[in-house]
Amino acid sequence: MTASKNLRICNKGHKYYKSSDCPNCPKCEVERKPGSGFLSKLSAPARRALEHHGITTLDKLSTYSEKEILQIHGIGPASLPALRASLEEKGLSFNKRLS
Ligand SMILES: [Zn+2]
């Protein structure tokens, strides 16, 4: 008698069954995924910085200019191309107002 699935417990205490050797907890993976796609393209510090400022949607992001985004601690110029691309995918852009 061989068990096809093994009960595993991740380091957060989620119980899940996996038949493979894949160590990823499905519950943790869901939690880790940000609600909107553009945050998932960023580095963790950049994502946290935006979340800290309540910028969790592209609509919200588009109310900021590039200059304002760069002033947020944790966001570097390296994050800008990904942000710009995500905005463009939705037909949006950074706020162009002169600051
Ligand atoms: Zn877990």
Side-chain angles (χ1 to χ4, degrees):
M1 199 174 116
T2 45
S4 60
K5 294 195 171 194
N6 300 314
L7 176 63
R8 293 161 190 255
I9 300 173
C10 80
N11 54 19
K12 279 192 179 174
H14 302 134
K15 290 179 181 143
Y16 61 103
Y17 289 90
K18 276 271 167 102
S19 51
S20 68
D21 288 331
C22 174
N24 296 324
C25 166
K27 282 184 187 168
C28 284
E29 275 181 16
V30 169
E31 282 176 13
R32 222 177 291 132
K33 278 208 180 96
S36 79
F38 84 101
L39 288 172
S40 64
K41 294 174 188 163
L42 301 173
S43 65
R47 188 166 65 228
R48 275 198 298 272
L50 289 179
E51 284 171 344
H52 181 74
H53 284 77
I55 306 168
T56 53
T57 65
L58 287 168
D59 284 332
K60 182 93 184 185
L61 179 64
S62 69
T63 66
Y64 289 79
S65 69
E66 290 190 18
K67 209 172 170 183
E68 288 168 328
I69 288 296
L70 284 172
Q71 281 164 1
I72 295 175
H73 182 75
I75 308 282
S79 304
L80 275 187
L83 291 172
R84 207 180 290 128
S86 296
L87 284 168
E88 282 169 7
E89 272 173 31
K90 292 273 192 262
L92 298 167
S93 64
F94 280 111
N95 196 312
K96 298 248 182 1
R97 72 169 168 268
L98 300 168
S99 44

